[in-house]
Amino acid sequence: MEIHGNVNEKLSEPGILKSVPSNSDLKVDCCFKRDSSQYLDLSNTFHEKTRDFANQFSHIYGTRLNLMREEIEKKARIKWGTDIQICRLAQLPDAGGARCIVIGTLFKQQELKPSILKEISEEFHLIPQPKRTNFVSDSDKLILEDELQRITLLSPLDINQVVTGIVCAVLGHEDKSGKFNVEDYCWAGVINDGPLNSSVPPISDRFIVFVSGLDLANNASLLNIQLLVDWLTGFLGDPQDQSKVAKCVRLVIAGNSFQSGLEQKKDAKVAKTASIDNSSDIKSVADFFDDILFQLLQFLDIDLMAGEFDPTNHILPQRPLHYCMFPKASNFENLNGVSNPYSCNIDGRIVTGSSGQPIDDIYRYSNLSDPIEVLKKTLEWGHLAPTAPDTLLCYPFIDKDPFIMTSCPDIYFAGNQEMFQTKLVDYDNGNGDIHKVRLISVPSFHRTSTCAVVNLTTLDCYPISFTVTSQ
C-alpha cells in the first residue's frame, strides 16, 4: 500500500501547494509506504454462537454481581480497611444496626421510566403524553439489591449521577425504618488480576482514525465523505500531509453508516448528483457504501462496526454487518467486520468502545450529558453498558456478562456523539496502579464532517474536519 506524489525539488518546504511554481524542470517522484501494524481482535466475548431468547433477563444481574463481587470486595478493603464486616442483605437484621459493608446492584426506581404495563393500563384514557428524552425526576429512589433481597438507600451519592445496573459497595448501617444509611460508596472498576495494562506502545508515530455516523441514506452532500476518502488514501494534501496519512494504520468506522436516525431526508435538500435516490432503499445505500469501502481498502485496514440504525440485529452485542452487502469490498482481506461493542489490540494499545448506544442510554436515565464524563464513569463502574438489559436491549446471557471490563483500555471511545471531545485521564485501580486512558467522543460525521485521529505512541488525539461550505 503506497501513496505516490509528483512534486518539485522544494519538497521539504511547508505549504508546497500554495508556493510559487519552480523554474526548474527537476521533478522528484516521492513515494510514502503505508505503515503496518500488529493487530489482535479481543471481541470474542461479544460473539454468541447459540442464542436462546427463552432465557430470563434476570440471570445477567446475578452473573454480573457474582463476577464483580471479588473485585469490589478488594476495592472496599483497600478503601475502608479489613475491620468492617461485609454482610449480605439477609444478614443485616443480625448486624443489629452496626456499621457494615453491603455489596449489590443499584436499581433506580423512576416514575417516568417507560413501562409497557403503564402504557396498556392508560391506553383508553386518550390523553397524549409528551415525548421525553430524559426520564429523571425528583421522586426517583435508589435501591440496592443482591441475589435475594433489596433495600432502599439513604445515600450521599447523587442519584442523578448513577443508573440502574451498577455493582456497588456501600458503607453504613440499617436504621429502624429498614433503610440503609450510606456513609460512603465504592465502585468495582476494571476487573484485572494483574497490572492494569502492560502494553508497550510503538516506538514511531502511528495513528488510528475514528469515524462514525456517515448516514449515507440522509447525507445531502457527499463531497465531505469523498474528501475524507481522498485524505485517507493520500490523494488530498501536500507531501507533508501525505507522509502523515501514510502513518495511519487503521480506520475504525463506529456505526450508523447506513442511517443515523429514523427521520427521512427531504428530496429538496438532497443534491441531484447524489448516488442515493431513496433513503429507504437499503440496497442503493449498501452499493454506495461498498464503493467507499472499495476505495479505502486498497490503502488501509478497516474495522467496520454496526450501529443502532444499521441493517443488523438491534440488540447488543450487535453482530458484524454481513459481507453479502459489500460484494466488492469483501474481496479484501483487510476488511474486518467487528462486533459492537468492540475491543482490539493494535500495536500494543488496547482499544475499546461502542457505537454509542450505552452512552446515549445513560443520558436518558441520569443528568449526565457530557460523553467524556460518562465514559469516565463507566470506566470507574467497570462496565461498558450498565443499563442493559433494563433499558438497553441486550441478549439474555446466563453464565456471563460480556460487557464487564476485564482489561483497562488505552483508548476508550464512543461513536455517534454530538461533537468531538477528548480527554486523557488517569485511571486508578485503588492500589496505586495508575494507567492513562484516552477518552474520545467520536462525532457523527453526518452532522460535523469530523473524524478523530489518535497517535498510538503518545495517545495524543485531535479532530480533522472536512466541512464543505455551500455557496
Side-chain angles (χ1 to χ4, degrees):
M1 299 178 184
E2 299 177 343
I3 299 173
H4 292 269
N6 194 10
V7 299
N8 60 28
E9 59 185 346
K10 298 181 179 180
L11 183 62
S12 61
E13 294 184 6
I16 193 171
L17 295 181
K18 295 182 180 180
S19 64
V20 178
S22 172
N23 293 328
S24 172
D25 294 331
L26 177 63
K27 301 293 181 180
V28 179
D29 187 25
C30 61
C31 174
F32 302 103
K33 186 176 179 59
R34 177 80 63 176
D35 286 354
S36 60
S37 63
Q38 298 294 322
Y39 170 81
L40 178 63
D41 192 347
L42 303 177
S43 300
N44 287 337
T45 184
F46 301 122
H47 296 281
E48 191 70 11
K49 295 181 180 179
T50 59
R51 298 199 167 201
D52 183 5
F53 289 93
N55 299 330
Q56 293 294 320
F57 286 93
S58 59
H59 294 296
I60 194 172
Y61 288 114
T63 301
R64 183 181 304 175
L65 180 57
N66 289 332
L67 293 176
M68 302 183 77
R69 183 183 293 277
E70 182 179 353
E71 183 68 22
I72 201 169
E73 284 184 1
K74 292 179 183 178
K75 301 288 177 61
R77 289 304 187 193
I78 293 173
K79 187 172 185 178
W80 298 316
T82 59
D83 297 334
I84 304 175
Q85 181 183 6
I86 297 179
C87 298
R88 300 291 178 105
L89 290 180
Q91 298 172 326
L92 285 180
D94 299 332
R99 199 164 178 249
C100 63
I101 300 171
V102 178
I103 297 173
T105 306
L106 292 181
F107 173 75
K108 284 181 71 172
Q109 184 173 313
Q110 296 182 280
E111 186 67 26
L112 298 180
K113 185 165 67 175
S115 169
I116 186 62
L117 296 178
K118 183 184 293 185
E119 292 177 11
I120 293 175
S121 64
E122 296 177 353
E123 65 178 338
F124 297 110
H125 292 183
L126 301 179
I127 300 176
Q129 298 297 317
K131 291 185 178 181
R132 293 183 177 272
T133 57
N134 185 273
F135 303 96
V136 173
S137 70
D138 295 335
S139 62
D140 294 347
K141 296 180 181 179
L142 198 58
I143 296 170
L144 187 75
E145 58 183 27
D146 61 11
E147 298 90 343
L148 299 176
Q149 294 183 3
R150 55 167 45 185
I151 191 170
T152 301
L153 300 181
L154 301 177
S155 174
L157 176 63
D158 188 351
I159 188 174
N160 295 325
Q161 298 292 306
V162 295
V163 291
T164 293
I166 304 168
V167 175
C168 177
V170 292
L171 171 66
H173 66 278
E174 185 182 21
D175 62 17
K176 295 181 180 179
S177 65
K179 298 179 180 180
F180 196 84
N181 284 273
V182 179
E183 302 174 19
D184 200 0
Y185 54 90
C186 176
W187 310 121
V190 177
I191 297 178
N192 198 328
D193 294 332
L196 280 176
N197 191 333
S198 57
S199 60
V200 179
I203 299 175
S204 60
D205 287 344
R206 287 179 185 149
F207 300 90
I208 311 177
V209 180
F210 294 90
V211 66
S212 67
L214 295 177
D215 194 6
L216 298 176
N218 297 298
N219 204 326
S221 173
L222 302 177
L223 178 58
N224 54 356
I225 295 178
Q226 191 58 51
L227 287 174
L228 170 66
V229 173
D230 290 344
W231 174 71
L232 286 169
T233 53
F235 292 104
L236 192 67
D238 62 17
Q240 286 189 344
D241 295 323
Q242 293 172 342
S243 67
K244 292 179 181 178
V245 172
K247 298 180 184 297
C248 294
V249 296
R250 207 163 196 91
L251 170 65
V252 178
I253 303 178
N256 287 355
S257 301
F258 283 71
Q259 202 168 344
S260 62
L262 298 177
E263 70 278 0
Q264 300 295 322
K265 67 182 179 181
K266 296 181 180 179
D267 292 337
K269 295 184 178 180
V270 178
K272 294 181 179 179
T273 58
S275 299
I276 301 168
D277 299 325
N278 190 336
S279 63
S280 63
D281 188 355
I282 298 299
K283 176 64 169 59
S284 63
V285 178
D287 290 342
F288 183 66
F289 193 25
D290 189 25
D291 291 336
I292 293 174
L293 293 174
F294 178 77
Q295 296 179 63
L296 291 169
L297 287 165
Q298 299 176 62
F299 294 89
L300 81 165
D301 300 333
I302 296 179
D303 294 334
L304 179 59
M305 299 172 61
E308 181 178 4
F309 300 100
D310 287 329
T312 184
N313 63 299
H314 186 71
I315 66 173
L316 296 182
Q318 285 185 292
R319 293 182 172 182
L321 294 171
H322 203 286
Y323 280 11
C324 70
M325 294 185 289
F326 314 115
K328 292 188 291 186
S330 60
N331 291 320
F332 290 85
E333 294 183 356
N334 53 327
L335 175 61
N336 187 26
V338 298
S339 62
N340 173 35
Y342 172 52
S343 184
C344 66
N345 187 314
I346 304 176
D347 282 339
R349 293 294 197 183
I350 296 180
V351 181
T352 302
S354 70
S355 295
Q357 296 100 308
I359 306 302
D360 294 340
D361 200 58
I362 291 174
Y363 294 156
R364 287 189 280 268
Y365 296 95
S366 70
N367 282 340
L368 297 169
S369 58
D370 183 354
I372 296 298
E373 183 65 22
V374 175
L375 284 171
K376 184 179 178 181
K377 284 189 175 294
T378 56
L379 194 64
E380 295 170 351
W381 298 335
H383 205 275
L384 288 168
T387 57
D390 181 48
T391 54
L392 183 64
L393 295 178
C394 79
Y395 175 75
F397 296 96
I398 293 182
D399 55 355
K400 71 173 185 177
D401 182 355
F403 307 115
I404 294 176
M405 302 182 76
T406 56
S407 60
C408 188
D410 297 288
I411 301 170
Y412 186 27
F413 69 93
N416 299 287
Q417 300 303 301
E418 290 293 331
M419 65 180 68
F420 170 82
Q421 290 181 257
T422 186
K423 186 176 183 180
L424 187 65
V425 299
D426 292 329
Y427 174 73
D428 186 355
N429 69 346
N431 60 6
D433 189 2
I434 305 296
H435 184 72
K436 291 190 178 298
V437 182
R438 170 59 68 179
L439 308 179
I440 308 172
S441 166
V442 183
S444 168
F445 193 85
H446 171 61
R447 300 192 194 103
T448 65
S449 300
T450 301
C451 66
V453 182
V454 185
N455 189 322
L456 288 171
T457 304
T458 64
L459 293 183
D460 291 338
C461 181
Y462 57 91
I464 292 184
S465 296
F466 302 87
T467 304
V468 179
T469 304
S470 59
Q471 299 295 334

